[in-house]
Amino acid sequence: MKRQRLIALFVLGFLLFNYPLLSLFSVEAFVLGVPVLYLYLFAAWGGFVWLLARIVEAPEATASSRPDPAPPPTD
Amino acid sequence: MLQGGLILAASFVYLGLLFAVAYYGDRRADAGRSIISNPYFYALSLAVYCTAWTFYGSVGRAASTGLDFLTIYLGPTILAPLWWLIVRKMIRVSKRQRITSIADFIASRYGKSAVLGGAVTIVAVAGIVPYIALQLKAISTSFTVASTYPDTAALTNAGGAAVPLLADTALYVALLLALFTVLFGARHLDASERHEGMVAAVAFESLVKLVAFLAVGLFVTFGLYQGFGDLFSRAAERADLRALMTLEPSASVFGEWAWLSFLSMLAILFLPRQFQVAVVENVNEQHLKKGIWLFPLYLILINIFVLPIALAGMMYFPDGTVEADMFVLALPLESEQPLLAVLVFIGGLSAATAMVIVATTALATMVCNDLVMPVLLRTKALRLQERTQLTGLLLGIRRSSIVVVLLLSFIYFRMVEGHYTLVSIGLISFAAVAQFAPAILGGLYWKRGTHAGALWGLLAGFLVWAYTLPAPSFAEAGLLPHSFVEEGPWGWAFLHPHALFGLDGWSPVAHGLFWSLLVNVGLYVGLSFKTQPTAVEHSQARAFVDALPVSSRATVWRGQASVTELRQLLSRFLGHRAATQGLKRFANAQGIDTTQPTWEDHLPANARLMHHAEKLLTGAIGSASAHVVVGSVVNAEPLNLEEVMDILDETQQMIAHSRELERKKRELEQATQRLQAANAKLQELDRLKDDFISTVTHELRTPLTSIRAFSEIMYDNPDLSAEQRQEFLEVIIKEEERLTRLINQVLDLQKLEAEPMTVKVEPVSLRTIIDEAVQAMSQQMEAAGVTCTVEVPDEEPGTVEGDRDRLKQVLLNLLSNAFKFCDDTDGRIVVTLRSRAEDVQIDVADNGPGIDLDEQDSIFERFQQARSKARAGSSGSGLGLTIAQRIILEHNGDIWVESTPGEGATFSFTVPRTHATDPTGDGAPATPDPTASDSSPATSPIT
């Protein structure tokens, strides 16, 4: 489970910090006096790290080292 | 504005402090109480990633291209989730295989290849040298700025060529750092190549640089301006600064962004210094958990003020008088904040030194272990194989490598100085280590990757890297013809190093990275398919790829197998009963009524049943074999190599197990035999003890009986004559004396046997002992008219090592024995000392009746004399000789008797000159064992 969540987060990171999402925020505007892109980058970065900490520090019960349950039937 | 001396003093105080931290870390590690065994230290040490490039260069980059400096930190952040998969795997493999560097890692994966290890080392050194040069440049420039500001002439002296070699600050910085790195990373050799002190220092430096950068950021944002809003709005008044706050919406800008993110993802994994701190220096795999999210958090903190500082710098120094790379330092200087400026300088120094120390240590380990030593060991003329002590040589190589790497960096710095910004130099290094990516990632996740693929991919990628990235920088520095960067070599435009085959419009780094990785990956994959892995490669591939516990082989059986076939299979391996039980359990779980005789017909022949059968078989024949066996029923797919390897692995383990079992069994048998022997011995001892007690009581009864008899006579006859009474009393006293002597000797013997190892070892002169013993007996002998002659060679002390009192007792026992048995009328005793090289022999001869041959063997046994008719009527306990024998055996000597009946007897003993403890540890003296005398030479001397 942990393994899958981490991979999903990696994909999310790739999307958050690349074209085209970045280009949406690359506008000459200010929120609370701070450029939108600058604000977006650091906010997304902080949120990303927060998610990362939650997943990584989750209790070991969801660790990927636990064997998978029996495979589903094919019939 | 700042004195050069002040800065130097601050730097040295700081470096001293750093060394103290490292020393403390090493001491704690030696004491077994590691301070770095802590997830926070681990996370901080990962921040060695942030170098002078981050500290000074990010601002410079932000001032010219805006936010794209962030890609270098976003890449590692995006990758961080995967650390749990990739880095954990690398840690596990490295711990298991005792890997100490990235060169070791790659070489191990591809069949422990020395050639590959050497190649990786060369690439790493070539790639990291520019990076170290960057640190030198940062330190020397920041020093110049701090000490000459506001004399801006020095700052705009971009060419740098004017500075003579010996006046170049960077040279001294390089030498000083070499010294420091030797002290931190190559002071002594450690088998695990772990440097706890160094890591502690690096973690400390990570804190310092973060604090310094945050301090200057806060000062600029809230001191020079009224917060972010004020700073940004003022900057937004200028069009060129406004542009820095957004990204130009063009394909090339976003392409560059993606490439740089990708590049930094590879760098964070494969930079030798990151490998060192993240993998080699990792104490506990669990620390990775904190590191994974704390490190990106650190990156956020150290980057949050970069853009504000860059914008402020652009506003404060609009005319370009100050290099943007130095804004961080110039702003506090400009606003007359000397303390802050010193702090910033120290922060930059921290960032640079941490990188240099770890990177050169890692490189020196590689150069030594993977480049120089393999060559030296193969050079037969040096005969290194025969030398046992190589520590000195190894340390020498390490230290010289450190110095050479730093000097190379200095040379690089001199060559390209002024042509490149900090960031563009660093990116060249990133692209170099990215060449490790195919070999390592492929090696960790693709078993088919081969040595040839890794080696040729790496070398080709490296060549393309060298051609597209550092070569143009040499050309710009004038080392290669300038036309090389303008038109391509010999005017061939399609070979232009920044637009290979016409791929134009990319930044040099993205361009170089693309082509080098294309060639690298292409050759790696292509050659891997074309070549066959050797056996070593194959087993290493399995060790690497399967390093993390794989979730159970989640095969979904596709085919259909009949229940009958599966059942036959199970019976064959498990036996009929176990097979039926196993199937019954499955049927019950499926809700089939197993009480009916036809329940087996209701079993569904589906994948679940096959999986169940596989699990049943796994218990008996191992998972790999079980998988194959079930597969053989389901479909007739031929075995592939991997399955065969799996089976071999398991079989090998089983063989090892059964060998172990065999060994244990043999040991057990031996132990049983020993126990039986010990038991027999104990029984024998018990019997002897009983004999002894009955003999002693018998001996005690004899004198007691006579004492009682005479006492009764006197009691019953009060009218006995005084003369007779006197005579009877004499007998009583004599018998009582005999009783006392007997008891004393029994006690003596028991004491000897109870504490046999208490021989005091000291030099003893046997001559003196003879004299003393004879002296003690002389009165008695004179009274009985016995003459005693002592024959000792002149001046011979007869010194041996032993216990003085006990040896004297031996002599006294022998003398009194001789005295008792010597001729009644003309008693003569001769004591002779013979001195030899190894021992001293003493003979005590008497002229008594002698001992019968058949008695000579048992004369030393307890109470032997009492049983001997020839000695009847003599007064003795019968223990004297036993005690003498025991003492002599304790001294590792011999004692024996020679006698011809009718012509007297000679008792002899030897004592070795030096007292050696019995090497077997269970020699005769150690065991209170009367049977020992049976096997001792003392009882059968005449052979």
Side-chain angles (χ1 to χ4, degrees), chain B residues 222-515:
Chain B
F222 297 98
L224 298 182
Y225 296 88
Q226 275 85 51
F228 286 106
D230 179 41
L231 194 156
F232 281 119
S233 61
R234 290 230 236 135
E237 287 162 16
R238 272 171 56 180
D240 59 331
L241 297 189
R242 217 161 44 233
L244 297 179
M245 299 175 202
T246 56
L247 289 170
E248 193 191 325
S250 76
S252 70
V253 168
F254 285 108
E256 175 83 359
W257 181 284
W259 273 112
L260 290 184
S261 308
F262 175 63
L263 179 58
S264 59
M265 281 183 206
L266 300 183
I268 191 73
L269 288 177
F270 307 129
L271 276 170
R273 69 172 192 281
Q274 294 302 135
F275 188 87
Q276 183 80 27
V277 291
V279 178
V280 179
E281 309 280 358
N282 176 279
V283 185
N284 180 343
E285 204 178 280
Q286 291 301 317
H287 293 172
L288 200 54
K289 273 190 187 169
K290 284 268 184 308
I292 281 179
W293 64 271
L294 278 177
F295 173 57
L297 189 64
Y298 184 100
L299 294 180
I300 294 182
L301 291 177
I302 207 162
N303 275 302
I304 208 152
F305 288 112
V306 169
L307 188 64
I309 294 174
L311 293 175
M314 295 291 274
M315 288 187 277
Y316 266 76
F317 312 105
D319 47 357
T321 48
V322 173
E323 231 183 300
D325 276 348
M326 284 297 136
F327 280 169
V328 185
L329 189 56
L331 281 170
L333 285 170
E334 172 71 19
S335 32
E336 311 215 344
Q337 295 286 337
L339 276 181
L340 186 61
V342 170
L343 179 65
V344 167
F345 178 77
I346 294 293
L349 189 65
S350 282
T353 50
M355 182 276 169
V356 172
I357 289 170
V358 183
T360 37
T361 301
L363 286 181
T365 308
M366 284 194 236
V367 169
C368 174
N369 293 3
D370 296 286
L371 199 61
V372 179
M373 281 314 284
V375 174
L376 289 186
L377 285 172
R378 265 154 219 236
T379 315
K380 293 231 162 48
L382 292 173
R383 298 173 167 273
L384 281 187
Q385 307 267 23
E386 295 161 25
R387 278 172 61 177
T388 49
Q389 254 310 345
L390 287 175
T391 320
L393 179 67
L394 284 171
L395 267 183
I397 297 173
R398 292 275 162 93
R399 291 173 181 165
S400 340
S401 319
I402 290 173
V403 175
V404 167
V405 165
L406 276 163
L407 286 181
L408 277 179
S409 307
F410 173 71
I411 293 168
Y412 187 91
F413 162 72
R414 290 281 291 188
M415 286 189 317
V416 303
E417 192 188 8
H419 294 282
Y420 284 86
T421 59
L422 296 177
V423 173
S424 52
I425 298 176
L427 286 173
I428 291 179
S429 291
F430 272 24
V433 297
Q435 304 309 319
F436 300 146
I440 293 183
L441 289 178
L444 279 174
Y445 293 97
W446 189 42
K447 287 183 190 164
R448 192 67 184 78
T450 65
H451 175 252
L455 181 65
W456 293 111
L458 177 66
L459 289 180
F462 175 63
L463 284 181
V464 174
W465 166 82
Y467 182 78
T468 52
L469 288 166
S473 73
F474 291 151
E476 276 174 37
L479 292 165
L480 290 172
H482 212 260
S483 64
F484 177 68
V485 267
E486 283 174 352
E487 299 140 31
W490 305 288
W492 293 347
F494 70 98
L495 282 183
H496 188 287
H498 285 164
L500 219 49
F501 306 113
L503 182 68
D504 215 347
W506 288 35
S507 75
V509 169
H511 171 265
L513 182 66
F514 169 73
W515 281 117

Side-chain angles (χ1 to χ4, degrees), chain A residues 17 26 38 45 57 60 73-74, chain B residues 77 247 257 289 293 304 556:
Chain A
F17 301 114
S26 178
Y38 179 82
W45 200 345
E57 299 279 356
E60 206 55 44
T74 47
Chain B
T77 305
L247 289 170
W257 181 284
K289 273 190 187 169
W293 64 271
I304 208 152
V556 177

Side-chain angles (χ1 to χ4, degrees), chain B residues 88 110 206 250 256 283 337 355 391 404 414 422 426 451 457 575 583 592 597 604 707 719 768 799 809 859 887-888 933:
Chain B
R88 198 160 59 105
Y110 298 99
S206 293
S250 76
E256 175 83 359
V283 185
Q337 295 286 337
M355 182 276 169
T391 320
V404 167
R414 290 281 291 188
L422 296 177
H451 175 252
L583 284 179
I592 297 169
I707 290 171
D719 51 348
T768 322
T799 310
Q809 194 183 353
I859 190 73
I887 293 173
I888 291 305
S933 56

